[in-house]
Amino acid sequence: MTLLATLLGRQKAGVANACKEVDELEREKEEALRPLTSGIMETGMDESGDYKRQVSNESLKDPQVQALSQQLKEWINDVLTDDHIVVKNLCEDLSDGQVLSALIEKLAGAKIEHKEVAQSIASQKAKLTEVLNQINYHLQVVDDGIKWNVDNIHNKYLISVLHLLVALARHYGIPRRLLAL
């Protein structure tokens, strides 16, 4: 076997291993979110005509959902330690865009101009729109592949918050020591 054939074989094996790892991460994400998404109840339509969804209390108590939420909180708190930001409740603390802004600035080195704390709902949504646009840009997601939006994050829908944070954690990497939590 020639050196070129050996190197090509190793390269193909490396690509195959990377694809396998991506598939495994996707499967782990789906398994972690399954208890949550299986407990979704539609509760009517919101002002934009989208169905409002609520997670059943039973699904929120699922150990996998609680473990995922805890891991993501620990990851955010670890990333934002130097900024003295502590997240205690994912939905409450991320809904106005302030923590998400600090998180994407830290992870991607992005600068978001709309930095002041927003008090009104309209200004919170405007800030959150800018922050989510930055996040979507850095994650390189397209509109039809996004499982979160301004209204869902602002309205504190746990499913959307978890999808967003899992996408960020997968893109930027979550330290292995946090995965053991």
Side-chain angles (χ1 to χ4, degrees):
M1 183 179 234
T2 67
L3 180 59
L4 180 60
T6 302
L7 291 176
L8 286 174
R10 286 183 185 166
Q11 185 178 18
K12 286 180 184 177
V15 170
N17 287 338
C19 289
K20 187 177 179 182
E21 186 174 330
V22 167
D23 289 343
E24 186 176 320
L25 287 172
E26 187 64 32
R27 185 184 51 75
E28 288 174 9
K29 173 190 136 192
E30 292 303 322
E31 284 179 18
L33 292 175
R34 186 175 300 120
L36 189 60
T37 56
S38 67
I40 296 172
M41 304 176 297
E42 292 190 355
T43 59
M45 289 188 148
D46 62 14
E47 57 277 353
S48 66
D50 291 331
Y51 282 100
K52 293 191 297 186
R53 292 175 178 89
Q54 186 175 4
V55 178
S56 69
N57 288 333
E58 195 173 296
S59 293
L60 292 174
K61 294 176 184 174
D62 186 282
Q64 286 180 309
V65 173
Q66 291 180 346
L68 176 63
S69 295
Q70 183 62 33
Q71 286 175 341
L72 293 169
K73 276 191 283 189
E74 292 291 330
W75 175 64
I76 293 169
N77 290 336
D78 188 56
V79 170
L80 298 178
T81 295
D82 294 341
D83 298 336
H84 306 288
I85 295 174
V86 177
V87 171
K88 294 184 180 191
N89 181 299
L90 290 176
C91 291
E92 293 293 328
D93 295 342
L94 303 180
S95 67
D96 66 356
Q98 195 69 25
V99 173
L100 284 172
S101 176
L103 185 63
I104 195 63
E105 285 183 1
K106 191 74 141 194
L107 292 171
K111 294 294 174 205
I112 299 175
E113 298 299 321
H114 201 274
K115 193 69 173 165
E116 73 275 355
V117 175
Q119 297 297 324
S120 72
I121 290 174
S123 61
Q124 285 178 356
K125 284 187 172 184
K127 179 182 182 76
L128 190 54
T129 298
E130 289 181 40
V131 172
L132 289 179
N133 285 340
Q134 277 288 329
I135 289 171
N136 293 341
Y137 170 78
H138 288 285
L139 292 178
Q140 300 175 346
V141 293
V142 292
D143 288 339
D144 60 345
I146 299 174
K147 296 182 178 182
W148 55 85
N149 62 42
V150 172
D151 288 328
N152 287 351
I153 301 296
H154 190 264
N155 290 329
K156 304 168 187 165
Y157 293 148
L158 182 61
I159 297 166
S160 294
V161 171
L162 290 178
H163 276 290
L164 171 63
L165 293 176
V166 167
L168 282 167
R170 287 182 65 214
H171 185 77
Y172 289 103
I174 188 166
R176 291 284 181 209
R177 64 184 173 78
L178 293 179
L179 291 174
L181 293 175

